[in-house]
Amino acid sequence: MDWIRLGNSGKDLTGVGGRMRPVSPSELSLHNTQNDAWLAIRGRVYNITHYLPYHPGGPEELMRGAGMDATELFDKVHPWVNYDSLLAKCLVGPLSYDRPDADELFNTPLSRSDKLREPSKAQLVRKSMENLANCITPVRKKITAKSEENVKGSPPSKIMQSLIQSSDLPVSISRRAAASPAKTDKSKDTPAQLRFDWIQTSTKIIISIYTGHLTNPGGSAKLSNGTLTVEVATDGWLRIFRLDPEARLKDPLQLKMYSESGKIEVIALKSVCKVWKGCGDASFSDAIQITTPMKVECRVMDVSRVTHDTSLITLAPIPGPVIVPLGHHVRVHHKLSDSECIRSYTPIGDGWDNSSNEFSCLKLAVKRYESGSLSPYLTSLGLGDVITLSGSYGNFRLQQLKPVKILYLIAAGTGITPMLSLIRFALSRSNPRCERVHLIFFNKTEEDILFKTKLEEYVQQDDRLQVLHVLSNASSTWNGLKGRISLDILSKMIPKDLNTHFACLCGPTEFTHTGVDSLKKIGVKDNSIHAFIG
C-alpha cells in the first residue's frame, strides 16, 4: 500500500518525465546500479529505482535483473505476479532495436545459414513495433489510499488480488513484506533480519521466506498443535518463523529452497477449502547461534539400485520436511551393541533419479562395502524402516561462486554427490550466467560410474556441461581416459589462468589431498578451491 501511495503521489517514477519512449538494449545496459536501475520484462522497460526498497525479496534480488531483459529471471521466480499493474507508473517505454536503413533492410543478401542463425533486422524492427504495441495499455482508475489501520483489518482488495494471476488461481498475497523494507541489523555479530511473504489459493497457503542472495540456507518445517514452525539456518545462525494460521492446516508440508535467490518456500494444505482474510499471526525469533546440529528420525520411502554396488535411499523426516544447504552433508547414526556407528552422506538433490515423489525427501547414495559397519545395514533397509540423521554439516558457501563463470568439479566414486546439486545450480543460475561446467569423474570401471545416464541427459540438454570420465581399471573396450588423479592429468584439463574459474573436489581423503596439491601446482589459488571433506 505504501508503494501504491507513492505511485499516486504525482512523483515521476519513470525518470524520463513520464513520456514513453523506446529504449535500446545498449541504453538499457547502462542503467544497472541501485541509484539508477532499469529492467525489461516482455518487451517493456521499467525504471525500478524507486521500487527497490518495496520489493518483498529485497533490493539485491531485484538487482539481478537490472540493465537487462529480465523476462526469463522473472518467470523463474514468480511468473504469476502482475508486474504490469505493479510497475505501471515506472514504465519508460518499449524495448527497441536499431532501425536499419532501406538499403540494409531490402538489399543486403543473407546466406541461408545466417538466416537460420539469427533474426534479420527487419524481424528486429517488427519485434520493436510489437513491444511498442504491448506498452499501449488502458488508463487505470485512480487508487484511493486507505489508512494503514484500515488495511490491516480488511480483506484482500481487488487491487491486491489483481497482482496475482496463475492457473492455480491464487487470490491474495501478503502486504506485510511490502509495507516496509526489511531493516538491516547493524550489529556485526548477528545476521540481517529475515522477511516473509505469502500467497494463497482456496486449498493451500504458500509462505516465502527471503534469506538473501546466495545465502545457501537450510531448514525444516513442521505442524504442531496447529502452529506452523519453520526453522531457517544461515551461516551458523538459526531463526524460527512461527505462524498461528487463521484456520487449520494439515500435513503433509512441502519445503523448497531456491539456491540463487535464497528463498525458502513452505507449502501447506488447508483443512477446509476457503479463502482467508489474512495468513494469521506470524513472527520471527531472535537469531541464535547453532551449537549442536539437530537430530531427526526419518522413514524409508524407497530403496533403488543405482549401480551394482550402490543404492539410492529416499528418506522422509517424520516431524516434517528438511532441506540441506548445497554442498553440505548429513550424518547417519546407527547404534551397535556397545557403540554408535556414524557415517556422512551428501543428499543428491532433485532431478537425478526417476522418482516422482511430490513430498520433500532426502536422497542418499550409499555404496555397499561387505565388510563395512554401516553400509550393509543401510542398503538392506525396507520401506517404513526408521533411521536417525543429524545435520547439516559443512562449510561450503555459495557466495564463493558469485563471480565464477567456469566451474571445475573433480570427483571420485560417491564423491559425485555434492557435485550433482552444483551442476544443477550452475546451469540454472542467471546472473552472472555460468559459461561452462567441467565434470572430471574418476572411477575404477565403467560399471562403477554413478548416474551415468542422467549425466548424459544433462549434457544433451545443455552444451555448457562437459563430462570427462577417467577409469583406473578400464576394460579393453574403454576408449576414454585411463589413470588416477595426478598433476599430469589435471594439468591437461585445467588452464593456469583461473581469474573467473573455481574448482571443487570430493572423494576419498587421499584423492582429495592429491587433487588439491595438483591444482596448487598448476597455479590455482587457495580461494579458488573448495575440498568437500566429511
Side-chain angles (χ1 to χ4, degrees):
M1 297 305 293
D2 290 340
W3 172 245
I4 292 174
R5 279 191 284 270
L6 179 61
N8 289 327
S9 67
K11 184 173 182 177
D12 176 25
L13 302 182
T14 67
V16 294
R19 303 183 67 178
M20 191 171 65
R21 63 176 182 80
V23 179
S24 67
S26 58
E27 181 184 4
L28 174 63
S29 66
L30 300 176
H31 301 273
N32 59 3
T33 67
Q34 287 206 10
N35 294 325
D36 180 22
W38 293 9
L39 60 70
I41 303 177
R42 294 189 177 86
R44 302 181 182 205
V45 178
Y46 298 95
N47 184 341
I48 58 170
T49 308
H50 295 288
Y51 179 64
L52 288 172
Y54 298 91
H55 185 243
E60 298 82 7
E61 176 73 4
L62 195 55
M63 282 300 297
R64 292 166 54 203
M68 58 185 283
D69 187 339
T71 303
E72 183 178 350
L73 179 61
F74 174 84
D75 287 342
K76 186 184 299 183
V77 179
H78 42 39
W80 57 82
V81 173
N82 189 344
Y83 64 91
D84 180 41
S85 294
L86 195 63
L87 300 176
K89 298 295 180 68
C90 304
L91 179 62
V92 178
L95 183 61
S96 178
Y97 297 89
D98 294 334
R99 185 189 301 274
D101 58 30
D103 290 338
E104 287 182 296
L105 190 57
F106 297 108
N107 297 330
T108 304
L110 290 174
S111 66
R112 183 174 183 273
S113 60
D114 289 335
K115 293 178 181 178
L116 292 174
R117 188 162 52 243
E118 60 182 13
S120 68
K121 290 188 176 181
Q123 289 173 315
L124 295 181
V125 171
R126 185 161 56 250
K127 182 63 177 176
S128 297
M129 295 176 68
E130 291 173 359
N131 290 343
L132 178 61
N134 286 339
C135 287
I136 303 174
T137 56
V139 178
R140 290 169 175 78
K141 295 181 179 180
K142 184 176 181 180
I143 300 170
T144 303
K146 297 182 180 180
S147 67
E148 188 68 23
E149 289 74 15
N150 290 336
V151 169
K152 288 181 179 178
S154 64
S157 66
K158 292 182 179 179
I159 296 168
M160 297 305 293
Q161 292 186 30
S162 71
L163 298 181
I164 300 182
Q165 296 174 335
S166 82
S167 58
D168 201 16
L169 300 179
V171 294
S172 61
I173 63 174
S174 167
R175 285 169 288 215
R176 295 174 183 265
S180 59
K183 297 179 181 178
T184 302
D185 194 329
K186 296 182 180 179
S187 171
K188 295 181 179 179
D189 297 329
T190 57
Q193 294 180 5
L194 300 180
R195 64 175 83 206
F196 83 100
D197 202 350
W198 66 281
I199 65 174
Q200 67 167 314
T201 69
S202 60
T203 60
K204 64 186 177 183
I205 181 172
I206 302 175
I207 304 292
S208 296
I209 300 174
Y210 301 94
T211 67
H213 185 52
L214 297 180
T215 53
N216 198 22
S220 63
K222 65 180 180 180
L223 279 172
S224 179
N225 298 322
T227 298
L228 173 64
T229 302
V230 185
E231 295 185 345
V232 180
T234 55
D235 294 327
W237 291 90
L238 177 69
R239 270 78 59 89
I240 300 175
F241 171 83
R242 288 188 176 89
L243 174 68
D244 290 320
E246 180 174 298
R248 190 172 181 80
L249 297 172
K250 63 181 181 180
D251 285 314
L253 300 174
Q254 286 184 263
L255 192 61
K256 299 180 181 179
M257 190 262 283
Y258 298 84
S259 302
E260 187 173 6
S261 65
K263 180 177 75 170
I264 292 178
E265 192 174 83
V266 186
I267 303 174
L269 301 176
K270 297 178 179 179
S271 294
V272 178
C273 293
K274 181 182 178 182
V275 176
W276 296 354
K277 293 181 179 180
C279 66
D281 294 327
S283 63
F284 281 103
S285 71
D286 293 333
I288 57 175
Q289 284 190 299
I290 300 173
T291 56
T292 304
M294 69 172 183
K295 280 190 175 183
V296 61
E297 300 291 308
C298 298
R299 181 168 283 111
V300 177
M301 304 298 291
D302 185 57
V303 179
S304 59
R305 185 64 62 89
V306 181
T307 66
H308 63 98
D309 62 357
T310 303
S311 298
L312 187 65
I313 303 174
T314 302
L315 303 170
I318 294 174
V322 171
I323 50 175
V324 177
L326 254 65
H328 289 222
H329 60 272
V330 297
R331 291 175 182 170
V332 177
H333 298 252
H334 178 53
K335 290 185 178 180
L336 302 176
S337 56
D338 56 351
S339 63
E340 184 180 46
C341 183
I342 303 174
R343 294 290 185 272
S344 298
Y345 295 93
T346 302
I348 67 167
D350 296 327
W352 293 100
D353 64 335
N354 296 318
S355 69
S356 57
N357 198 317
E358 63 176 325
F359 307 121
S360 304
C361 291
L362 300 175
K363 300 173 184 178
L364 309 181
V366 180
K367 184 175 181 177
R368 183 184 180 98
Y369 297 93
E370 293 302 332
S371 59
S373 301
L374 184 60
S375 62
Y377 165 74
L378 293 179
T379 53
S380 62
L381 289 170
L383 299 185
D385 287 344
V386 175
I387 63 173
T388 302
L389 301 184
S390 68
S392 62
Y393 303 87
N395 60 358
F396 179 75
R397 299 178 68 251
L398 272 185
Q399 290 283 353
Q400 299 173 101
L401 302 185
K402 188 174 183 178
V404 174
K405 294 185 178 180
I406 299 180
L407 185 62
Y408 289 89
L409 305 175
I410 305 167
T414 52
I416 189 66
T417 51
M419 309 306 185
L420 299 178
S421 296
L422 289 179
I423 289 173
R424 284 176 58 88
F425 165 76
L427 295 180
S428 63
R429 192 179 70 180
S430 57
N431 188 21
R433 186 174 186 268
C434 191
E435 296 176 358
R436 186 77 65 183
V437 179
H438 297 271
L439 172 63
I440 308 171
F441 196 8
F442 292 82
N443 285 281
K444 290 183 179 179
T445 68
E446 192 170 358
E447 290 72 26
D448 293 322
I449 300 175
L450 299 176
F451 307 103
K452 185 172 185 290
T453 301
K454 282 293 182 180
L455 287 169
E456 291 171 351
E457 290 177 6
Y458 274 92
V459 170
Q460 292 296 322
Q461 294 169 9
D462 197 320
D463 59 8
R464 292 177 296 160
L465 174 62
Q466 292 187 349
V467 178
L468 186 63
H469 296 289
V470 185
L471 302 183
S472 61
N473 189 22
S475 66
S476 58
T477 59
W478 176 252
N479 296 320
L481 286 177
K482 302 176 183 179
R484 299 177 182 273
I485 190 169
S486 64
L487 175 61
D488 181 57
I489 288 180
L490 294 184
S491 61
K492 294 177 181 178
M493 305 173 188
I494 301 176
K496 295 181 179 180
D497 182 16
L498 292 178
N499 290 332
T500 57
H501 299 196
F502 196 90
C504 295
L505 303 96
C506 188
T509 303
E510 183 180 352
F511 170 92
T512 303
H513 288 312
T514 300
V516 170
D517 291 341
S518 299
L519 289 174
K520 290 181 179 179
K521 290 178 181 178
I522 292 172
V524 184
K525 298 179 181 178
D526 287 349
N527 60 3
S528 295
I529 302 173
H530 182 86
F532 294 100
I533 298 176

